Amino acid sequence: MKVLIATEKPFAPAAVQGITNELKDAGHEVVLLEKYASTAELLEAVKDADAMIVRSDKVTPEVLDAAKQLKVVVRAGAGYDSIDTAYAKEKNVVVENTPGQNSNAVAELVFGLLVYAVRNFYNGKAGTELMGKKLGILAFGNVGRNVARIAKGFGMEVYAYDAFCPADAIEAAGVHACKSQDELFQTCDVLSLHIPATPQTVKSIDYRLVNLLPKKGVLVNTARKEVINEEELLKLMAEREDLKFVTDIKPDADEEFKKFEGRYFSTPKKMGAQTAEANTNAGIAAAKQINAFFATGDTKFQVNK
Ligand code: 3PG
């Protein structure tokens, strides 16, 4: 089978090697399309592919229509909001993700951003420490759990809320379970977002909710830019000079946020999962899932059932 690795933001070279070896050992042909500059390049490359490995690459109806032989797409990562899963289902294309494989990388970056924020972006003025502060984790999935583990090492008090994870399971991980999103925001000095972008969560991080954060609150977003109501957050940051916002997913209104100098920072590219380890873990998991799909019809990680 022909497997296309299509990554606008490339994997680390070691990961590409590992993925290629895994697929070739199972008898598949591998085609690599990295840093493509236009959809046309992707449409051309996907024409005769039987399987695809992608990252946040957009797999739209146009791409799926061009991919006449496509049977399976594996998103090497967690969030699959960049793939039209419903249209893929209509076309009998299985969509899978590789949950948990890059979550430590994202969780570590949360603390990179946080230390930077509470130390005033290293401007030389006295900042604050994380020890003893209350950290709120919104959604207790793979990333949220890793954030909780690392936060304990910093000596933080850890709280979480997850609409789909029972309080018992949160408490079993040694984390205080809040009864609602509102309670989490009201309680915590630092709030880290780990919700996926879904019709329910898009723009859900709005003026009212963020305004519940106590004085000197810090909002960290390593989830998806779409979950933030940017217009309302801009309004709130203009009103509350104590608030900070740090992210690894540049908001659409980046230029406007930049006006809040000393209170806002975004990495130029989405960086959470951009480590050799995360690329290798997620990429090789994707390759193994493709091998299992073609060998036995295994669809354990299918997200469009
Ligand atoms: C994910 O959903 O797995 C992360 O956001 C990482 O995405 P990336 O592969 O685009 O870096």
Side-chain angles (χ1 to χ4, degrees), residues 9 55-56 75-79 102 224 270 273:
K9 182 175 67 184
R55 295 188 65 178
S56 303
R75 193 285 193 240
N102 58 16
R224 288 291 180 271
K270 184 157 160 254

mmCIF file of all heavy atoms in Angstrom, residues 9 55-56 75-79 102 224 270 273, ligand 1:
data_model
loop_
_atom_site.group_PDB
_atom_site.id
_atom_site.type_symbol
_atom_site.label_atom_id
_atom_site.label_comp_id
_atom_site.label_asym_id
_atom_site.label_seq_id
_atom_site.Cartn_x
_atom_site.Cartn_y
_atom_site.Cartn_z
ATOM 1 N N LYS A 9 3.895 21.020 8.883
ATOM 2 C CA LYS A 9 4.903 21.267 9.932
ATOM 3 C C LYS A 9 5.606 19.929 10.150
ATOM 4 O O LYS A 9 5.043 19.011 10.755
ATOM 5 C CB LYS A 9 4.193 21.722 11.214
ATOM 6 C CG LYS A 9 5.110 22.063 12.351
ATOM 7 C CD LYS A 9 4.343 22.614 13.544
ATOM 8 C CE LYS A 9 3.442 21.578 14.187
ATOM 9 N NZ LYS A 9 2.628 22.095 15.278
ATOM 10 N N ARG A 55 -0.508 15.717 10.630
ATOM 11 C CA ARG A 55 -0.490 16.359 11.955
ATOM 12 C C ARG A 55 -1.740 17.247 12.016
ATOM 13 O O ARG A 55 -2.831 16.727 11.930
ATOM 14 C CB ARG A 55 0.819 17.120 12.146
ATOM 15 C CG ARG A 55 2.013 16.172 12.164
ATOM 16 C CD ARG A 55 3.282 16.855 12.541
ATOM 17 N NE ARG A 55 3.233 17.351 13.913
ATOM 18 C CZ ARG A 55 4.246 17.971 14.507
ATOM 19 N NH1 ARG A 55 5.379 18.159 13.841
ATOM 20 N NH2 ARG A 55 4.156 18.376 15.749
ATOM 21 N N SER A 56 -1.545 18.579 12.107
ATOM 22 C CA SER A 56 -2.747 19.448 12.112
ATOM 23 C C SER A 56 -3.175 19.783 10.694
ATOM 24 O O SER A 56 -3.962 20.711 10.489
ATOM 25 C CB SER A 56 -2.453 20.761 12.832
ATOM 26 O OG SER A 56 -2.016 20.521 14.122
ATOM 27 N N ARG A 75 -4.175 10.742 12.264
ATOM 28 C CA ARG A 75 -3.697 12.016 12.757
ATOM 29 C C ARG A 75 -2.685 11.669 13.855
ATOM 30 O O ARG A 75 -3.065 11.104 14.906
ATOM 31 C CB ARG A 75 -4.907 12.788 13.338
ATOM 32 C CG ARG A 75 -4.661 14.245 13.617
ATOM 33 C CD ARG A 75 -3.829 14.430 14.867
ATOM 34 N NE ARG A 75 -3.864 15.820 15.287
ATOM 35 C CZ ARG A 75 -2.791 16.596 15.394
ATOM 36 N NH1 ARG A 75 -1.589 16.125 15.112
ATOM 37 N NH2 ARG A 75 -2.906 17.824 15.816
ATOM 38 N N ALA A 76 -1.398 11.922 13.579
ATOM 39 C CA ALA A 76 -0.363 11.640 14.583
ATOM 40 C C ALA A 76 -0.459 12.722 15.648
ATOM 41 O O ALA A 76 0.182 13.758 15.566
ATOM 42 C CB ALA A 76 1.010 11.626 13.932
ATOM 43 N N GLY A 77 -1.314 12.497 16.618
ATOM 44 C CA GLY A 77 -1.586 13.485 17.648
ATOM 45 C C GLY A 77 -2.966 13.238 18.224
ATOM 46 O O GLY A 77 -3.592 12.204 17.935
ATOM 47 N N ALA A 78 -3.423 14.207 19.005
ATOM 48 C CA ALA A 78 -4.686 14.001 19.713
ATOM 49 C C ALA A 78 -5.881 14.644 19.010
ATOM 50 O O ALA A 78 -6.883 13.987 18.712
ATOM 51 C CB ALA A 78 -4.560 14.559 21.123
ATOM 52 N N GLY A 79 -5.776 15.968 18.739
ATOM 53 C CA GLY A 79 -6.929 16.711 18.218
ATOM 54 C C GLY A 79 -7.140 16.448 16.738
ATOM 55 O O GLY A 79 -6.219 16.566 15.940
ATOM 56 N N ASN A 102 1.671 12.437 22.472
ATOM 57 C CA ASN A 102 2.465 13.674 22.528
ATOM 58 C C ASN A 102 2.098 14.539 23.737
ATOM 59 O O ASN A 102 2.472 15.704 23.814
ATOM 60 C CB ASN A 102 2.327 14.475 21.218
ATOM 61 C CG ASN A 102 0.886 14.828 20.903
ATOM 62 O OD1 ASN A 102 0.029 14.752 21.770
ATOM 63 N ND2 ASN A 102 0.624 15.218 19.670
ATOM 64 N N ARG A 224 -6.594 24.773 21.686
ATOM 65 C CA ARG A 224 -6.898 25.250 20.328
ATOM 66 C C ARG A 224 -7.267 26.724 20.426
ATOM 67 O O ARG A 224 -7.973 27.123 21.343
ATOM 68 C CB ARG A 224 -8.078 24.472 19.725
ATOM 69 C CG ARG A 224 -7.771 23.037 19.329
ATOM 70 C CD ARG A 224 -6.837 22.965 18.130
ATOM 71 N NE ARG A 224 -6.551 21.598 17.741
ATOM 72 C CZ ARG A 224 -5.538 20.858 18.219
ATOM 73 N NH1 ARG A 224 -4.721 21.357 19.132
ATOM 74 N NH2 ARG A 224 -5.346 19.637 17.784
ATOM 75 N N LYS A 270 2.703 26.769 16.475
ATOM 76 C CA LYS A 270 2.186 25.851 17.491
ATOM 77 C C LYS A 270 3.318 24.897 17.888
ATOM 78 O O LYS A 270 3.839 24.165 17.048
ATOM 79 C CB LYS A 270 1.012 25.077 16.892
ATOM 80 C CG LYS A 270 0.306 24.160 17.840
ATOM 81 C CD LYS A 270 -1.113 23.926 17.330
ATOM 82 C CE LYS A 270 -1.728 22.683 17.905
ATOM 83 N NZ LYS A 270 -1.797 21.576 16.928
ATOM 84 N N ALA A 273 3.563 20.112 20.823
ATOM 85 C CA ALA A 273 3.974 18.736 20.542
ATOM 86 C C ALA A 273 5.239 18.686 19.704
ATOM 87 O O ALA A 273 5.586 17.639 19.163
ATOM 88 C CB ALA A 273 2.847 18.011 19.821
HETATM 89 C C1 3PG B 1 -2.460 17.550 19.117
HETATM 90 O O1 3PG B 1 -3.660 17.756 18.930
HETATM 91 O O2 3PG B 1 -1.991 16.401 19.127
HETATM 92 C C2 3PG B 1 -1.528 18.691 19.417
HETATM 93 O O3 3PG B 1 -2.209 19.899 19.387
HETATM 94 C C3 3PG B 1 -0.307 18.734 18.514
HETATM 95 O O4 3PG B 1 -0.577 19.107 17.211
HETATM 96 P P1 3PG B 1 0.579 19.239 16.089
HETATM 97 O O5 3PG B 1 0.889 17.881 15.606
HETATM 98 O O6 3PG B 1 -0.025 20.099 15.042
HETATM 99 O O7 3PG B 1 1.763 19.897 16.718
#
